[in-house]
Amino acid sequence: MLRCFAIMPYGGLDEAKRKHYQGVYQSIIAAAAAKAGCDVRRSDIAGEPGNITHDIIRDLAEADVVIADLTESNANVFFELGIRHVFRKSGTVHVVDKNSALPFDVRQYRTIPYSTDLAELPEVVDAIAAAIAKRQAQPTRSDNPVHDALPSLPINVRSIGEDAMRDQVEALQQQVDALQAERDLLQKKVTLLDPAGTVGTIDRDVDVDAILDEADEIMKSTGEHVLLKLTSAADSGGTDAFVRTLRQVLRSPFLHENDFVHVAKMCTRLGLQQHTLAVFEVARRRFPANEDFVLALADSYDDSPSPDLKERGRLLLESYLGVRHTDGGPMVGAAPKPKALHAAGILFNAYFHQGKLDWVLSVADSAEKVLGADSRLVRNKARALAELGRREEAEAEFKRALTIDPNDDTTHAFYSDFLDDLGRFMESYEEHEEAVFADPNDGSRFSNLGIHILNRGLVRTSDASIVGPLPRKERVRFALPLFLRSLEDEDRSGLLRPHVLSVLVRADAVAEAQAVSEGRRPDGAYDTAPLDYIEAEIRRRQDVSQR
């Protein structure tokens, strides 16, 4: 499937504009890209000048198609458009609101005007989809002023890297040839001066081609080339091709620690959990002193369906923490490692999966004596108490954890589940919101609130009150915007999407699930009041914290 990247204004702090451009993206740009067979995405970033991230530049370089909305002549959009024009000769489609003027520099290039009038949407979507198809059919035809002015530039400027390397190799070869001739001349002079060879001889067995071949192989086995290989394999051949390439590249001795982290993330995004584990296995053996790899491997063990691997992960974590088993249960040692709290959190998950609730309490209490009070320790103690039916103690510990760290989104999430089990649905809803406020970049927090709406029927309305329970048929209307928002989390979207689809199917929202699976916005009118309240409250809290 073709990769499409959208660059456009987002509306800044103007809520009406944000909604407008979100509608343009969903109803026009994403719909047109999907119709053209593209997997489309956009990356919402802050609007300050210079805040162009590496990921955005990579998207601009690697996307088969870039759709650029030039409305309002937004500075960031034109900055990103300029970068794209340099990278690719073709594959950029300009669109603009029909009421917006275009700058002179791009006015001579085909720009598709759009209108948000519902009656005109199908025609605009068809026009953009046709433009995408035309760009793909004519990859050598320039669609921007950079390549028009410099026609000798390659179609994809990124390919110039390999060309430049070949030029350097050829230049180096010429230098080597010159040195070879000079060495031969010197050898003749030495022979005349020293016929017996007492001064010594010059090694004639230098295999220049072999040395340069080795240099090429090293270059192609380093991190950036490896990541490009994997990306290309996944795009062209799917997960099977990705795994075949993964087998090859992990053998490279030239990968750095960060390279393994990026490769593991790629596996996770493709839903290859066991391959994520394998990557961390290799990384840990390659870099035994890296504690992050030890913990990542233990976490992957715990996520595995294999009981043996789960047990291996538990033992690895206990060894890391210096846990000793006594008659009173497992106890954390007196000299914990630097990442002990993180390790304890993973160990708690292992204990919960194995039903060892008393062990959670023992490790939490002993770790708190060694490490001090921490919300992660107290939160897991509360979870164990709740599962043991000791509800009053559990609630007291949840509240203590939130006193220690009011912005711990995970504690809010678990506390909301605890309140839900007690039938305190209104409080549970509010705690789900608090989890979002604590970490609005975590898509799972939005999806959890959407699930709560489906299960309990409570919703935050436009007047900021919580009402319900709503009839089951009406709940999807409020939950769906939250699910769509959750999928904007790039790091987790690969894991969240199947979960969201499953939830929608169970809620008899089959048409919505089908649309989400195809990467398009579902048809119909949906109520964004719960999402609007959250986004407004996030902005309010940020404003307060900055004063």
Side-chain angles (χ1 to χ4, degrees):
M1 178 176 285
L2 296 176
R3 295 174 61 184
C4 177
F5 185 56
I7 56 177
M8 62 185 299
Y10 299 125
L13 298 178
D14 188 322
E15 184 62 22
K17 281 192 175 182
R18 286 179 61 84
K19 288 183 180 180
H20 170 76
Y21 284 117
Q22 181 68 17
V24 170
Y25 173 73
Q26 295 288 354
S27 302
I28 297 176
I29 295 176
K35 184 164 187 175
C38 298
D39 180 17
V40 65
R41 75 180 201 87
R42 74 176 194 177
S43 180
D44 291 4
I45 60 171
E48 294 80 16
N51 195 17
I52 302 298
T53 65
H54 293 297
D55 288 341
I56 290 176
I57 294 176
R58 188 177 294 276
D59 282 328
L60 291 168
E62 295 179 352
D64 299 293
V65 179
V66 167
I67 299 177
D69 186 346
L70 309 182
T71 303
E72 295 187 5
S73 298
N74 181 278
N76 277 349
V77 172
F78 274 82
F79 185 21
E80 295 164 17
L81 180 64
I83 293 172
R84 171 64 177 187
H85 281 172
V86 171
F87 273 124
R88 293 290 188 106
K89 188 168 189 174
S90 181
T92 306
V93 177
H94 303 163
V95 302
V96 68
D97 189 291
K98 66 180 184 180
N99 296 316
S100 182
L102 283 174
F104 171 81
D105 296 302
V106 294
R107 197 177 301 162
Q108 59 184 310
Y109 293 90
R110 165 71 168 150
T111 302
I112 300 172
Y114 68 77
S115 167
T116 54
D117 189 314
L118 292 177
E120 298 182 25
L121 290 184
E123 183 179 351
V124 173
V125 168
D126 289 345
I128 297 174
I132 293 173
K134 185 176 181 180
R135 300 296 191 280
Q136 296 304 305
Q138 300 177 329
T140 61
R141 181 174 180 179
S142 172
D143 60 14
N144 66 74
V146 174
H147 284 261
D148 281 349
L150 301 171
S152 62
L153 285 177
I155 294 173
N156 183 349
V157 171
R158 296 200 72 187
S159 65
I160 201 172
E162 296 181 4
D163 293 337
M165 180 59 70
R166 282 193 292 271
D167 291 341
Q168 292 177 25
V169 170
E170 290 175 6
L172 181 59
Q173 182 67 58
Q174 293 173 1
Q175 293 177 29
V176 170
D177 290 341
L179 291 172
Q180 180 89 19
E182 184 178 353
R183 187 197 68 172
D184 291 342
L185 180 60
L186 290 172
Q187 177 65 48
K188 291 178 181 179
K189 291 181 179 180
V190 169
T191 302
L192 290 173
L193 295 172
D194 182 27
T198 55
V199 176
T201 60
I202 297 176
D203 182 9
R204 296 179 180 275
D205 298 327
V206 176
D207 188 340
V208 175
D209 287 336
I211 293 173
L212 293 176
D213 287 343
E214 182 179 0
D216 283 345
E217 287 304 312
I218 291 174
M219 181 192 71
K220 294 175 182 177
S221 301
T222 54
E224 182 178 354
H225 285 268
V226 164
L227 296 175
L228 288 174
K229 282 182 185 177
L230 289 169
T231 300
S232 177
D235 290 344
S236 60
T239 56
D240 289 342
F242 177 88
V243 171
R244 286 196 299 271
T245 306
L246 183 66
R247 289 180 180 275
Q248 300 170 4
V249 302
L250 286 184
R251 293 186 174 93
S252 168
F254 306 107
L255 295 179
H256 296 298
E257 290 161 293
N258 284 340
D259 298 331
F260 279 97
V261 173
H262 288 302
V263 171
K265 285 183 177 180
M266 294 178 75
C267 292
T268 301
R269 287 171 183 167
L270 291 171
L272 301 170
Q273 298 306 313
Q274 291 302 112
H275 294 79
T276 302
L277 189 156
V279 171
F280 284 129
E281 281 273 19
V282 177
R284 183 201 173 203
R285 297 180 188 185
R286 191 78 57 82
F287 304 99
N290 188 312
E291 295 184 4
D292 289 326
F293 287 148
V294 174
L295 302 185
L297 179 59
D299 200 9
S300 295
Y301 279 145
D302 189 52
D303 288 338
S304 172
S306 166
D308 291 340
L309 291 181
K310 287 182 180 295
E311 183 67 7
R312 190 183 302 178
R314 177 180 71 82
L315 295 174
L316 181 62
L317 290 164
E318 288 185 341
S319 173
Y320 177 83
L321 287 167
V323 171
R324 52 189 175 84
H325 286 263
T326 67
D327 292 339
M331 310 286 286
V332 173
K337 299 287 182 67
K339 297 183 180 293
L341 285 169
H342 183 192
I346 303 172
L347 181 59
F348 288 138
N349 287 338
Y351 286 164
F352 278 114
H353 292 158
Q354 296 177 2
K356 301 180 185 297
L357 301 179
D358 289 334
W359 287 16
V360 174
L361 298 179
S362 179
V363 167
D365 286 336
S366 62
E368 187 169 350
K369 292 177 182 177
V370 175
L371 302 172
D374 183 271
S375 63
R376 288 165 286 189
L377 300 175
V378 180
R379 168 218 309 155
N380 282 284
K381 181 179 179 181
R383 292 174 60 199
L385 289 169
E387 291 198 27
L388 288 168
R390 296 158 62 176
R391 294 178 174 177
E392 291 184 3
E393 296 174 78
E395 182 158 15
E397 292 299 301
F398 273 124
K399 290 181 177 178
R400 183 163 75 95
L402 290 173
T403 300
I404 296 170
D405 185 359
N407 294 317
D408 186 336
D409 61 308
T410 305
T411 300
H412 283 295
F414 279 116
Y415 187 33
S416 64
D417 289 340
F418 171 76
L419 294 170
D420 191 78
D421 290 339
L422 296 182
R424 292 155 62 178
F425 303 138
M426 185 80 74
E427 295 172 76
S428 174
Y429 186 102
E430 292 172 336
E431 282 300 317
H432 274 301
E433 289 182 324
E434 290 297 329
V436 178
F437 300 146
D439 188 1
N441 295 318
D442 185 344
S444 65
R445 302 307 177 208
F446 289 90
S447 64
N448 287 343
L449 180 58
I451 292 170
H452 189 279
I453 291 174
L454 291 180
N455 289 341
R456 303 306 177 194
L458 299 179
V459 295
R460 179 84 67 175
T461 59
S462 56
D463 64 357
S465 62
I466 299 176
V467 301
L470 300 177
R472 289 196 171 273
K473 291 184 178 180
E474 294 184 24
R475 299 177 185 182
V476 172
R477 181 162 58 91
F478 293 90
L480 187 67
L482 292 164
F483 289 138
L484 295 177
R485 175 63 179 80
S486 75
L487 297 179
E488 294 179 13
D489 179 352
E490 292 182 29
D491 289 337
R492 296 171 182 254
S493 62
L495 299 175
L496 285 173
R497 189 176 298 275
H499 181 55
V500 167
L501 293 176
S502 175
V503 169
L504 289 173
V505 170
R506 290 200 303 272
D508 293 328
V510 177
E512 287 82 356
Q514 180 66 32
V516 171
S517 70
E518 295 173 356
R520 57 183 177 85
R521 185 176 181 83
D523 297 329
Y526 298 94
D527 198 317
T528 62
L531 179 59
D532 293 343
Y533 173 82
I534 286 174
E535 292 182 336
E537 181 65 11
I538 289 171
R539 289 194 297 273
R540 186 192 70 79
R541 295 188 183 197
Q542 289 174 342
D543 290 341
V544 170
S545 67
Q546 292 171 0
R547 292 176 183 171

